[in-house]
Amino acid sequence: MNFHLIDWIILVAYLGLSIFVGIWAKKYVENMEGYFVAGRRVKVALGSATLIATEIGVVTFMYFAELGYVTGFSCFILGIIGFIGYMVIGKTGFIVSGLRKLRIITIPEYYQLRYGKNVRLLGGILLFLGGVLNMGVFLRMDGIFLTETMGFGPNVLAIVMSVMLLIVISYTVLGGMFSVVITDFIQFVVLAFGMLIATAFVLIHVNFATVGAVVLKQFGEAGVNPLVNPRFGWTFLIWMMIGSVAISALNQPAVSKSFASESPAVGRKVFLYTGITLAGRYMIPMFWGIAALAMFGPNMNPTTAMPRLLGTVVPSGFLGLMIAGMLAASMSTYSAYMLAWSSVATRDIIEPLSKKEFSEKTTMRLSKIISTLIGIFILIFGLFYELPATAFQYIAITGAMYAAGAFGCVAFGLYWKRANIVGAYCSLCFGAVAPIGFLVLEQLKGILPSSMLFLIDVNVAGFMSFVLAALGMILGSLATQRSHPPIVLKPKEEGA
């Protein structure tokens, strides 16, 4: 057992603080805007801290470390691409400023304003399904991290996952976005200390020279050049370049932080300042995975290698603080994602299907129920689903399921006057085809003829999702301009 009394004291104290903050934040939830977007009162510093905490949880550490273990330094390119994506959004306000000016709460609300109610319903369904599937592996990865670093072993994985879920649901459901934003700021601080401590102890045991030599011996040129690495290549990099902008600007949990900002200009700056730290936040857990390869060799389970490393090199006391930091990051991610997907389900699927407008109290109550159901789903899904690729690739392809069509609808809708309802339908449907096809066909790969195996290449599926979504919007809109003239929108507020 790696965990001792002092570690337990630190961890329990932190979890108790988080639950207390969730209960305390409840008194500031006055209405629906308060629950879902913190009353649109978030400023730059707090918004940046909460977005950083949302965007890197334990699952992020896990899948980046796994990627480092199986690809070496070549995966560092993802940090550079992600940094560029955030900087583009932060410098230009691409998509996020336009959506913030419309004072919407969820992305499918934009679909209704620009294309109609039925497009909102379809977009909401795809966004919710893709988002919840995207979350499906979070709890399992986090549970593996905790059981390995704390020394419990795999036999208590289900118990650890269940306890984590109960804690997150408690303060997310109670306080909504107020709770998420306030706890995210605390968790950002704890997370920064945790990463610093973990990296310091890793470097004490494994130096850079040793790590570099191991990568070259294990992977050769593929360990430093993503273009020749069999898991990457040009198709993957182009997909990531497009996706870094699309998913960053249209991922509901992330963009909700922009919606919660006090102005479009603040929302843009939140992305700018978050992007400055992004490359480091990606590369540090990648390095941990590479260090695990250097310390343990290539024959370990790639998923458990990094947490086993941290549990080995970080001493008691520091281990409790580090795990509190990692758990802090995880709780930030869960809370933001649950709130985002429950708001989409309530406002963009259930309410349109009911054909009547819900009161704010009903909307918040339904959102709390759905957040709980999402939690139960990811617990069951995480225990039984076997990943078809690395965790990073699974999360990227399920993200593309909704992000490709959303990018087609929102980007073209904001910046191309000819975008219309037919183009929106085509974009949403075509964008989802390749990711859904990959997830289904991958389960049938044993019976697929060799001529169809390219369909279960995750990089091809991800790239094609964005190509098909764009083609669907352009061709569908151009072919039906007369029968379905575009709707022109005016923003509800002015500002940069």
Side-chain angles (χ1 to χ4, degrees):
M1 174 89 56
N2 305 333
F3 228 55
H4 298 92
L5 179 61
I6 184 64
D7 301 305
W8 280 111
I9 292 172
I10 294 170
L11 185 59
V12 171
Y14 177 77
L15 295 180
L17 174 64
S18 295
I19 295 173
F20 169 77
V21 168
I23 297 171
W24 171 77
K26 184 179 179 182
K27 66 182 180 180
Y28 293 99
V29 180
E30 302 158 352
N31 53 30
M32 189 166 62
E33 276 206 347
Y35 188 78
F36 289 119
V37 289
R40 304 193 197 273
R41 287 177 263 177
V42 175
K43 299 183 184 296
V44 174
L46 182 57
S48 301
T50 187
L51 182 53
I52 291 170
T54 296
E55 286 292 273
I56 186 160
V58 169
V59 65
T60 321
F61 290 112
M62 289 289 285
Y63 64 63
F64 279 142
E66 179 187 38
L67 211 56
Y69 187 88
V70 299
T71 66
F73 292 116
S74 60
C75 63
F76 279 16
I77 188 65
L78 293 172
I80 298 170
I81 291 173
F83 166 77
I84 293 171
Y86 263 79
M87 296 305 289
V88 167
I89 296 169
K91 282 287 188 181
T92 66
F94 181 62
I95 292 179
V96 296
S97 290
L99 294 179
R100 175 61 183 83
K101 290 176 183 178
L102 295 169
R103 299 187 65 85
I104 59 176
I105 291 176
T106 65
I107 290 168
E109 286 183 49
Y110 174 78
Y111 299 160
Q112 179 166 347
L113 294 173
R114 186 67 168 81
Y115 306 112
K117 185 176 181 179
N118 290 332
V119 175
R120 177 182 183 178
L121 178 60
L122 174 61
I125 291 171
L126 289 174
L127 183 60
F128 179 76
L129 290 177
V132 174
L133 283 174
N134 189 262
M135 278 190 77
V137 298
F138 285 17
L139 197 60
R140 180 178 181 85
M141 299 295 281
D142 292 3
I144 291 172
F145 175 84
L146 290 176
T147 55
E148 290 294 333
T149 54
M150 297 169 77
F152 292 135
N155 294 332
V156 296
L157 178 61
I159 297 172
V160 171
M161 290 168 66
S162 301
V163 172
M164 286 181 60
L165 184 63
L166 286 172
I167 294 168
V168 173
I169 287 176
S170 64
Y171 78 80
T172 303
V173 167
L174 285 172
M177 185 59 79
F178 267 117
S179 172
V180 170
V181 168
I182 294 167
T183 54
D184 276 359
F185 185 77
I186 299 169
Q187 289 157 2
F188 167 73
V189 175
V190 179
L191 170 62
F193 277 111
M195 292 180 73
L196 179 64
I197 290 167
T199 304
F201 282 109
V202 167
L203 288 173
I204 289 172
H205 288 79
V206 187
N207 61 51
F208 284 112
T210 302
V211 170
V214 169
V215 168
L216 288 175
K217 179 181 178 181
Q218 181 67 26
F219 303 111
E221 185 183 357
V224 294
N225 185 352
L227 295 179
V228 301
N229 192 295
R231 292 181 182 270
F232 299 145
W234 277 111
T235 304
F236 172 83
L237 294 180
I238 296 171
W239 170 29
M240 287 297 103
M241 289 175 189
I242 299 171
S244 69
V245 175
I247 296 179
S248 299
L250 292 166
N251 183 23
Q252 181 69 40
V255 80
S256 63
K257 305 303 172 70
S258 175
F259 295 165
S261 63
E262 63 180 6
S263 72
V266 169
R268 175 177 58 80
K269 289 178 181 177
V270 164
F271 274 83
L272 178 64
Y273 296 144
T274 300
I276 293 172
T277 68
L278 188 138
R281 290 185 286 115
Y282 280 20
M283 292 179 184
I284 288 173
M286 290 173 180
F287 176 75
W288 293 346
I290 301 169
L293 174 67
M295 187 163 182
F296 299 129
N299 298 320
M300 284 196 68
N301 182 334
T303 305
T304 62
M306 181 273 287
R308 185 75 58 84
L309 170 73
L310 297 184
T312 301
V313 304
V314 180
S316 182
F318 288 108
L319 184 63
L321 184 60
M322 183 204 72
I323 289 180
M326 302 303 169
L327 191 55
S330 183
M331 292 167 70
S332 297
T333 302
Y334 283 113
S335 56
Y337 275 60
M338 283 182 174
L339 193 61
W341 303 137
S342 65
S343 66
V344 168
T346 303
R347 295 175 55 79
D348 303 314
I349 301 174
I350 298 175
E351 186 171 347
L353 286 174
S354 72
K355 299 181 179 179
K356 67 177 182 179
E357 188 173 347
F358 290 164
S359 67
E360 292 190 353
K361 189 171 291 186
T362 299
T363 300
M364 289 189 287
R365 187 182 301 118
L366 277 173
S367 177
K368 293 174 182 180
I369 294 171
I370 293 168
S371 289
T372 304
L373 293 176
I374 290 172
I376 295 170
F377 169 80
I378 64 174
L379 175 63
I380 297 171
F381 187 88
L383 285 172
F384 296 104
Y385 183 73
E386 295 296 328
L387 288 174
T390 64
F392 174 80
Q393 289 170 311
Y394 169 83
I395 287 171
I397 196 66
T398 51
M401 186 188 303
Y402 63 81
F407 190 64
C409 287
V410 178
F412 281 91
L414 288 171
Y415 306 112
W416 190 46
K417 293 181 179 180
R418 293 191 175 189
N420 70 3
I421 184 173
V422 177
Y425 277 128
C426 293
S427 184
L428 288 170
C429 293
F430 291 2
V433 165
I436 292 174
F438 166 79
L439 292 172
V440 173
L441 293 176
E442 204 282 332
Q443 301 297 316
L444 306 172
K445 61 184 177 183
I447 61 173
L448 284 179
S450 58
S451 60
M452 294 181 64
L453 290 179
F454 74 95
L455 295 174
I456 56 172
D457 184 323
V458 66
N459 297 333
V460 171
F463 172 69
M464 288 305 299
S465 65
F466 286 95
V467 172
L468 292 173
L471 286 174
M473 171 56 77
I474 294 169
L475 298 178
S477 296
L478 291 178
T480 58
Q481 287 291 292
R482 291 187 178 181
S483 60
H484 297 83
I487 298 170
V488 179
L489 287 183
K490 292 183 179 180
K492 296 183 180 179
E493 62 177 35
E494 299 299 326

